[in-house]
């Protein structure tokens, strides 16, 4: 019978023998200790936190985008001038904003 001696990995269970957690040396922005803690945590907790953080970033980005006014090309005066230009030059298509139906509703 052969006797086998087990020595745990240097950074604890569920870690690599010669690297820190996630293969990062020095830990980057979060540090080695925090990466080791994250690597040993339950995956559903880590993913839930990641998804929640991404959702907060997305909502914040949307709120900053909605504060701006619409572009000048969506103003009613600009669109009326664009329709008049299209009618003057007989631009195709005949349907849509150049159609007879829209000409009748245009206040000009």
């Amino acid at each position: 019978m052969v006797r086998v001696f087990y020595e745990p990995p240097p950074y604890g269970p569920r870690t690599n023998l010669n690297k820190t957690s996630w293969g990062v040396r020095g830990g980057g922005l979060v540090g080695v200790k925090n990466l080791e803690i994250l690597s040993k945590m339950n995956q559903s907790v880590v993913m839930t936190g990641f998804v929640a953080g991404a959702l907060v970033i997305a909502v914040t980005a949307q709120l900053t985008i909605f504060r701006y006014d619409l572009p000048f090309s969506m103003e009613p005066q600009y669109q009326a001038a664009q329709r008049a230009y299209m009618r003057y030059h007989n631009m195709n298509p005949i349907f849509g904003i150049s159609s007879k139906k829209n000409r009748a509703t245009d206040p000009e």
Side-chain angles (χ1 to χ4, degrees):
M1 179 132 175
V2 177
R3 195 176 266 214
V4 177
F5 294 99
Y6 172 73
E7 185 177 337
Y11 296 104
R14 295 176 65 183
T15 58
N16 200 338
L17 285 174
N18 57 357
K19 294 182 189 173
T20 59
S21 327
W22 300 100
V24 177
R25 294 183 189 274
L29 296 175
V30 293
V32 174
K33 294 278 186 198
N34 290 337
L35 278 178
E36 289 175 14
I37 292 170
L38 279 174
S39 70
K40 294 175 187 175
M41 283 179 75
N42 187 356
Q43 293 295 317
S44 61
V45 174
V46 175
M47 289 306 293
T48 303
F50 176 76
V51 169
L55 184 65
V56 166
I57 291 172
V59 167
T60 305
Q62 288 296 323
L63 290 177
T64 58
I65 290 171
F66 286 139
R67 279 191 290 187
Y68 296 115
D69 293 334
L70 292 175
F72 70 94
S73 61
M74 295 186 73
E75 293 176 358
Q77 299 88 358
Y78 186 90
Q79 289 181 344
Q82 191 176 28
R83 281 194 301 272
Y85 180 86
M86 290 179 75
R87 282 194 302 265
Y88 179 78
H89 291 284
N90 293 325
M91 288 187 177
N92 287 327
I94 303 303
F95 55 90
I97 62 173
S98 304
S99 66
K100 291 181 181 179
K101 179 181 174 185
N102 272 341
R103 286 186 208 176
T105 59
D106 198 13
E108 293 179 21

